[in-house]
Amino acid sequence: MELIYSSLALVGAGQTGWGPLLLSAAAMTIGVSVCGFLAGTVIGSVVTFMQLSPHMAVRWLADCYTTILRGVPDLLIIYLFYFGGSSLLGSVGGLFGYHGFIGMPAFLTGTLALGVVSAAYQAEVFRGAFKSVARGEIEAASAVGMRPWPKFRRIIAPLVLRYAIPGLGNTWQLVLKESALISVTGLVELLRQSQIAAGSTRRPFEFYLTAVILYLVITWVSSILFRKMEVRTTQGIRRAL
């Protein structure tokens, strides 16, 4: 019993507890994951348009993007962004007379790396969702003289989003887990903070178990939100049935 009380005090919010730091790190995990996911949504949408292009060369470029980014280890992508970005910043600094090392900001590195990787997966989700849209609905909008942009905004986009939400939920879970890799750049997210606390106290089990619980809580809340979004976007279908 004394061991349990000691463990709770260690991860709690008391004077000797690491609770506030762990919660702050969990917020950092959510922040970098959300930014990376949104960046991936933007990039993935562009890649999807390229995949659906009538030009073979554009489709080939999009297929190369999705194939390469899904085939290369995510940690390697993070290293490329961090060291490549740092080299670029160092070159720019050299133009102004500074010849020291300029590190790429860890949060920006995480956002970009998670964004370009998740974009490859989101592009496939959007492409599959677009192909699930009944051709008749798009043709009906064209038949009444609807212009391309209003047709996309009012007809195509809502239908694609309806079919894409389950796949996007899975991609979000992938991004959330990949955010732990960003710790190699120095970003103090949940896993990194757990490692720091475990090393400082030499009590790794308590902190890694706490990290597991916090990750599961984030995942559980995320699943609820995506499920509600899915229900909301399918209300019309449910009423029709």
Side-chain angles (χ1 to χ4, degrees), residues 13 25 49 69-70 76 86 91 97-98 100 108 111 116 118-119 130 149 171 180 199 224:
F49 280 115
L69 268 298
R70 288 187 299 168
L76 182 56
S86 298
S91 299
Y98 181 80
L108 180 59
T111 298
V116 298
S118 68
F130 179 81
W149 172 244
T171 305
I224 293 176

Side-chain angles (χ1 to χ4, degrees), residues 4-241:
I4 295 177
Y5 287 141
S6 174
S7 299
L8 292 176
L10 201 60
V11 299
Q15 293 182 349
T16 60
W18 290 75
L21 291 176
L22 290 171
L23 291 177
S24 177
M28 179 62 73
T29 292
I30 296 173
V32 72
S33 298
V34 169
C35 291
F37 183 80
L38 293 178
T41 301
V42 175
I43 301 172
S45 300
V46 175
V47 175
T48 302
F49 280 115
M50 295 174 63
Q51 289 176 322
L52 300 173
S53 172
H55 304 290
M56 183 179 298
V58 177
R59 294 199 306 270
W60 181 81
L61 288 175
D63 290 339
C64 287
Y65 178 89
T66 57
T67 300
I68 293 173
L69 268 298
R70 288 187 299 168
V72 175
D74 300 335
L75 185 59
L76 182 56
I77 299 298
I78 294 172
Y79 279 137
L80 288 176
F81 268 100
Y82 181 73
F83 291 109
S86 298
S87 297
L88 179 61
L89 291 177
S91 299
V92 174
L95 297 177
F96 295 93
Y98 181 80
H99 300 288
F101 177 77
I102 303 177
M104 184 79 167
F107 190 92
L108 180 59
T109 300
T111 298
L112 293 177
L114 293 177
V116 298
V117 172
S118 68
Y121 294 94
Q122 293 192 55
E124 294 298 325
V125 171
F126 288 136
R127 184 174 67 88
F130 179 81
K131 290 185 177 296
S132 299
V133 176
R135 299 297 95 185
E137 299 189 54
I138 300 177
E139 293 172 356
S142 301
V144 298
M146 188 173 290
R147 295 181 178 274
W149 172 244
K151 179 172 64 176
F152 172 80
R153 181 174 59 86
R154 300 178 61 181
I155 305 296
I156 299 176
L159 290 174
V160 169
L161 181 62
R162 173 184 295 171
Y163 293 116
I165 285 179
L168 292 178
N170 291 331
T171 305
W172 161 253
Q173 304 294 352
L174 180 66
V175 170
L176 185 61
K177 290 192 295 184
E178 289 175 344
S179 66
L181 299 175
I182 308 300
S183 61
V184 299
T185 65
L187 184 70
V188 184
E189 41 70 60
L190 182 54
L191 180 59
R192 179 57 180 162
Q193 186 62 69
S194 300
Q195 292 173 332
I196 294 173
S200 299
T201 61
R202 297 188 179 182
R203 300 277 293 273
F205 179 77
E206 288 88 341
F207 291 105
Y208 289 135
L209 179 60
T210 302
V212 168
I213 294 173
L214 289 174
Y215 273 117
L216 290 177
V217 169
I218 298 172
T219 300
W220 176 65
V221 173
S222 301
S223 299
I224 293 176
L225 294 176
F226 274 98
R227 194 174 299 118
K228 287 186 176 182
M229 291 173 58
E230 185 177 356
V231 171
R232 184 178 181 84
T233 56
T234 57
Q235 284 181 345
I237 297 177
R238 294 176 182 273
R239 285 196 295 266
L241 295 176

